Amino acid sequence: MTDLLVFAHPDEAQAFQDVPHVVTGFGKVNGTFGLTKAILEIKPDRVFVLGTAGSLRDGLGTKVYQAKTAFQHDAPFSAGEHHAIGTEQFGEFVTIATGDTFVADPVKKAHCLELGADLVDMETAIYLQIGAALNTPVYVLKTPSDDADEGADKLWDIVVMECSQRLRAFYDATLA
């Protein structure tokens, strides 16, 4: 079985330098191009996206969560929900809101929370949509890096290495 590891940002992959992986670039456009290209070239049986996300709910802590459902919170019209097509469970299921901006203010955070999301990021909805379109199971596994509030963007720069190491421990224990 061929697995593909994917990260949106190179800093999230810092603890994986010894493991083959692809970095798509962050955001919906980069994520779309990068993941589509990787799937078409590598033809993996499964894709594991590992990365960080902003926490919208209290108490999520530092675990690694698996996206069951995702949606675009900043689409000008309803883009609908995207569901993971893979059947394996590797972490506690959550819903992730995806948008083209780093959520670091209470208004955007409240909007995503009202829509039913647990975490917020910039790629998950697209990754799940591509997996479904290309009939490739895409498992998105995210660990909270911040609380998606004021200062979250600055905090991310400080904690991303710790998050990468947390993702590596999860990978070694669960996926390797």
Side-chain angles (χ1 to χ4, degrees), residues 45-56:
D45 297 303
R46 303 182 300 184
V47 173
F48 292 99
V49 176
L50 301 168
T52 60
S55 177
L56 299 172

Side-chain angles (χ1 to χ4, degrees), residues 40-68:
L40 293 176
E41 288 178 358
I42 298 168
K43 298 179 180 24
D45 297 303
R46 303 182 300 184
V47 173
F48 292 99
V49 176
L50 301 168
T52 60
S55 177
L56 299 172
R57 300 190 185 283
D58 292 336
L60 291 179
T62 58
K63 292 174 27 179
V64 176
Y65 295 93
Q66 182 174 342
K68 174 86 171 167

Side-chain angles (χ1 to χ4, degrees), residues 4-94:
L4 171 64
L5 289 184
V6 173
F7 298 87
H9 195 282
D11 288 352
E12 295 171 323
Q14 290 178 76
F16 291 83
Q17 296 309 308
D18 62 325
V19 179
H21 63 273
V22 170
V23 175
T24 64
F26 60 91
K28 293 186 284 187
V29 172
N30 290 327
T32 298
F33 177 76
L35 183 59
T36 301
K37 182 177 184 280
I39 289 174
L40 293 176
E41 288 178 358
I42 298 168
K43 298 179 180 24
D45 297 303
R46 303 182 300 184
V47 173
F48 292 99
V49 176
L50 301 168
T52 60
S55 177
L56 299 172
R57 300 190 185 283
D58 292 336
L60 291 179
T62 58
K63 292 174 27 179
V64 176
Y65 295 93
Q66 182 174 342
K68 174 86 171 167
T69 306
F71 59 86
Q72 296 181 53
H73 69 81
D74 62 352
F77 54 90
S78 175
E81 291 184 341
H82 305 286
H83 303 278
I85 65 167
T87 58
E88 298 170 274
Q89 184 171 356
F90 299 97
E92 183 181 325
F93 287 134
V94 293

